[in-house]
């Protein structure tokens, strides 16, 4: 086929740069799930045409610089307080308000704010990236760290008698009436990326339609914290994390 006869179909341009992604060089480690999730957030906001109504709440942790990469309005929250800050949605209900948090931020110091925002049914979306470790601060045990998993602070593996059990945040929140949609996704394969994008779109639409709180968990990799290559990290996640944190819709 001659080059002039080739038809470029937009949906097949896998590597097209979303319009709302900036040209800033991302600080995430190669293979990190955050970059792909950022891309999906930018794509969905662009496709919904709500960029001028979107307000993201950034956390403390690896995703702290999210405001450098997605060209919308952002507010920086104190450690763990993103869901509390996002309650400002009440001041202007027409805005799309969402938080973007890791497990060290949300499932540790931010547990209280998260639970009560969910219980109140705030019309926001919480994006929760669970990679089972503290990535930015050196690879310490997180609330979501698996049993037996070795980290800087659990060099012999997580012991439930000493460290407790992995915290399944999404499963706990499913029982709260204020949560209208709760799903667990990943971005480790092309198919998973497509499903994750649909989940984000549904969550953002729920927020705009004021149906209650939507919670989108991403089971993610941290190959630097896990001391693995990106390929090894994806494989390890499939074999070890997904049995404990299975993908799919949990509620709604």
């Amino acid at each position: 086929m001659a080059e002039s006869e080739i038809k470029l179909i937009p949906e097949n341009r896998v590597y097209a740069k979303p319009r709302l992604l900036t040209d800033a060089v991302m600080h995430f480690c190669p293979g990190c799930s955050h970059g792909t999730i950022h891309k999906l957030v930018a794509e969905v906001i662009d496709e919904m045409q709500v960029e001028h109504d979107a307000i993201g709440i950034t956390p403390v942790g690896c995703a702290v610089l999210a405001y450098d990469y997605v060209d919308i309005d952002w507010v920086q929250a104190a450690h763990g307080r993103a869901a509390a800050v996002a309650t400002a949605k009440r001041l202007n209900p027409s805005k799309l308000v969402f938080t973007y948090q890791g497990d060290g931020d949300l499932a540790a110091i931010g547990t209280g704010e998260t639970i009560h925002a969910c219980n109140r049914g705030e019309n926001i979306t919480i994006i929760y990236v669970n990679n089972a470790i503290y990535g930015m601060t050196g690879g310490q045990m997180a609330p979501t760290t698996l049993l037996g998993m070795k980290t800087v602070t659990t060099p012999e593996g997580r012991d439930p008698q000493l460290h407790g059990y992995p915290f399944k945040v999404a499963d706990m929140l499913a029982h709260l009436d204020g949560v209208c949609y709760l799903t667990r996704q990943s971005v480790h394969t092309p198919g998973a990326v497509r499903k994750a994008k649909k989940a984000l779109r549904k969550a953002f639409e729920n927020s705009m339609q004021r149906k209650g709180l939507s919670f989108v968990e991403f089971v993610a990799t941290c190959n630097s914290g896990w001391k693995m290559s990106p390929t090894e990290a994806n494989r390890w996640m499939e074999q070890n994390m997904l049995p404990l944190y299975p993908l799919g819709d949990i509620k709604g």
Side-chain angles (χ1 to χ4, degrees):
M1 179 180 291
E3 184 175 350
S4 60
E5 297 175 349
I6 297 176
K7 294 183 178 180
L8 295 178
I9 303 174
E11 58 267 28
N12 287 342
R13 294 181 60 191
V14 179
Y15 298 106
K17 178 178 175 289
R19 186 175 60 87
L20 295 181
L21 274 188
T22 70
D23 292 327
V25 178
M26 287 191 173
H27 72 289
F28 300 120
C29 303
C32 177
S33 301
H34 278 298
T36 304
I37 301 170
H38 280 22
K39 181 176 185 288
L40 295 183
V41 171
E43 286 181 347
V44 172
I45 292 174
D46 188 18
E47 292 171 7
M48 291 178 63
Q49 299 181 349
V50 292
E51 61 183 282
H52 298 297
D53 291 315
I55 301 173
I57 315 299
T58 57
V60 171
C62 286
V64 67
L65 299 178
Y67 46 76
D68 278 346
Y69 309 131
V70 184
D71 189 15
I72 59 171
D73 290 329
W74 291 90
V75 177
Q76 175 70 59
H79 198 175
R81 273 60 178 178
V85 174
T87 303
K89 161 87 170 182
R90 295 186 179 198
L91 300 176
N92 195 334
S94 66
K95 298 297 183 180
L96 170 66
V97 181
F98 66 94
T99 75
Y100 188 102
Q101 302 172 258
D103 51 334
D105 182 76
L106 183 148
I109 194 171
T111 308
E113 285 80 3
T114 301
I115 291 174
H116 288 289
C118 290
N119 192 52
R120 293 193 304 268
E122 301 291 344
N123 293 307
I124 62 174
T125 293
I126 292 177
I127 299 173
Y128 165 56
V129 183
N130 170 14
N131 56 23
I133 203 167
Y134 281 87
M136 174 176 276
T137 54
Q140 298 90 346
M141 185 194 80
T144 51
T145 297
L146 309 186
L147 295 180
M149 184 175 173
K150 294 182 179 181
T151 71
V152 172
T153 48
T154 57
E156 297 180 359
R158 181 171 187 166
D159 180 354
Q161 299 303 314
L162 181 62
H163 310 109
Y165 293 87
F167 193 7
K168 303 176 185 178
V169 177
D171 301 72
M172 177 191 68
L173 298 178
H175 301 284
L176 301 180
D177 293 334
V179 178
C180 68
Y181 178 53
L182 199 156
T183 187
R184 185 182 286 125
Q185 302 292 330
S186 186
V187 292
H188 66 298
T189 67
V193 169
R194 287 191 291 269
K195 291 179 181 178
K197 183 175 179 179
K198 291 181 180 178
L200 272 177
R201 177 69 181 253
K202 181 176 180 179
F204 285 169
E205 288 176 345
N206 286 343
S207 178
M208 297 301 285
Q209 296 166 10
R210 307 175 199 175
K211 292 184 176 180
L213 191 142
S214 293
F215 190 95
V216 182
E217 175 179 350
F218 283 92
V219 183
T221 60
C222 180
N223 47 288
S224 294
W226 298 352
K227 312 303 180 188
M228 301 177 187
S229 70
T231 300
E232 292 170 339
N234 275 339
R235 188 179 303 117
W236 191 90
M237 183 185 73
E238 286 185 325
Q239 295 173 351
N240 297 277
M241 289 190 68
L242 297 189
L244 181 65
Y245 303 111
L247 304 182
D249 289 348
I250 298 173
K251 181 178 182 181

